[in-house]
Amino acid sequence: RELKRVTDEQIISVNGKEIALRVIPEGSEFLQRWRYSDIRRFLDGETVQPGEVFNIIHDLFTRYVDFRSPVESRILALWTIGTYFYQMFPAFPYLALNGPKNSGKSTVLRVLQPLAFNMITTSDPTGASMFRLIHYTSCTVGIDEAERYHNPRDPGMQQIRQLLNSGYKQGMPAIRITGDDMKPQAFDVYSPKILAAIMGLEDILASRCIAIPMRRTDKRMPAFPPDFDGAPVRHALYSLLLTHF
């Protein structure tokens, strides 16, 4: 429970040991996800219980999405928590939301956006931007309309397909030529990813996913508030990670 201010130095001292940062974090205002006032509460000794954090997240999913069974909402709650712990594991499965229009896939992504670790949601990513974002921010990636990415006739999707096929596992960086000096650079593309698609995903990508079947509902579910900030939930998730890792 110490606050370390990071400069442009790659080596920092923690508890008398030298720690090498994998990357030097870049200032990204849209990723300032832990309020300083909440950080101070953690530094002052505030703790959380894992079961309470799970229940808060699970209740959010079940409030706004009508799942087929409690299994799906529990998987999503656990997966959301796992996005904060994923670097501890050699691989981390993607989630695949499969279902017709108006079955709640986009709502799941909207609920996840303020909760999952450094989450970025897009329906039109480019390979170059995704390589850099994941490498520098370890972001969770949400992709809507993901069935586009297994179209072999679309050369613009080749980099995204490569990123998705290898980014579920540690130790499989993407090598790209960067800069005027054409220097090769390894981009770490390992991060949690969730894909929403009406049609199914192609076999290789589907084998990296836990499938979450979605359905249209006849229930009147409340709309997810567009101004939902989620800062208290993120505070609980950061505290859970730093207390129970």
Side-chain angles (χ1 to χ4, degrees):
R1 295 176 189 262
E2 288 184 55
L3 189 65
K4 293 287 182 180
R5 299 198 179 275
V6 178
T7 62
D8 57 358
E9 297 293 329
Q10 197 102 24
I11 306 293
I12 63 173
S13 177
V14 177
N15 293 335
K17 299 178 181 178
E18 288 192 333
I19 304 295
L21 299 177
R22 184 169 58 88
V23 297
I24 297 175
E26 295 185 342
S28 301
E29 288 187 9
F30 71 101
L31 288 179
Q32 292 178 354
R33 310 251 298 178
W34 199 4
R35 295 181 303 197
Y36 184 71
S37 58
D38 289 334
I39 293 173
R40 294 300 330 174
R41 287 162 56 196
F42 173 77
L43 295 176
D44 291 339
E46 184 179 285
T47 59
V48 295
Q49 294 301 317
E52 294 175 2
V53 180
F54 172 86
N55 288 333
I56 291 169
I57 296 170
H58 184 256
D59 290 347
L60 280 170
F61 280 117
T62 54
R63 186 184 312 164
Y64 297 108
V65 183
D66 183 22
F67 293 98
R68 296 191 319 164
S69 76
V71 172
E72 283 82 12
S73 54
R74 290 169 185 160
I75 289 172
L76 273 161
L78 289 169
W79 191 87
T80 303
I81 294 169
T83 64
Y84 288 75
F85 292 82
Y86 83 94
Q87 290 278 9
M88 298 176 65
F89 301 100
F92 194 80
Y94 302 159
L95 291 187
L97 305 172
N98 300 319
K101 289 182 179 179
N102 302 317
S103 59
K105 299 185 300 297
S106 296
T107 302
V108 169
L109 293 177
R110 284 197 292 271
V111 175
L112 266 173
Q113 174 68 42
L115 305 181
F117 184 75
N118 283 359
M119 183 156 177
I120 306 294
T121 304
T122 179
S123 60
D124 189 26
T126 64
S129 64
M130 283 292 100
F131 290 142
R132 285 164 173 77
L133 270 173
I134 295 170
H135 181 76
Y136 287 106
T137 69
S138 300
C139 58
T140 301
V141 179
I143 299 180
D144 212 350
E145 302 175 13
E147 59 265 27
R148 303 167 48 211
Y149 301 109
H150 67 255
N151 181 359
R153 300 177 183 176
D154 190 343
M157 297 296 103
Q158 184 175 355
Q159 285 192 337
I160 296 294
R161 286 197 300 271
Q162 291 173 345
L163 183 151
L164 292 174
N165 283 337
S166 62
Y168 76 103
K169 194 174 186 179
Q170 286 209 46
M172 299 178 66
I175 310 298
R176 291 293 178 270
I177 302 299
T178 61
D180 296 334
D181 56 356
M182 303 295 286
K183 183 178 179 181
Q185 180 178 354
F187 290 95
D188 184 359
V189 293
Y190 174 52
S191 79
K193 300 173 184 68
I194 180 167
L195 315 171
I198 294 174
M199 300 162 52
L201 303 171
E202 55 91 15
D203 289 347
I204 294 177
L205 184 53
S207 70
R208 282 109 165 98
C209 298
I210 297 173
I212 305 289
M214 304 294 293
R215 63 173 182 181
R216 288 197 181 106
T217 182
D218 54 5
K219 295 181 181 178
R220 185 176 291 276
M221 306 297 289
F224 186 69
D227 58 348
F228 178 80
D229 176 62
V233 188
R234 289 195 303 276
H235 168 57
L237 284 160
Y238 284 118
S239 300
L240 180 68
L241 168 65
L242 294 173
T243 307
H244 292 280
F245 69 91

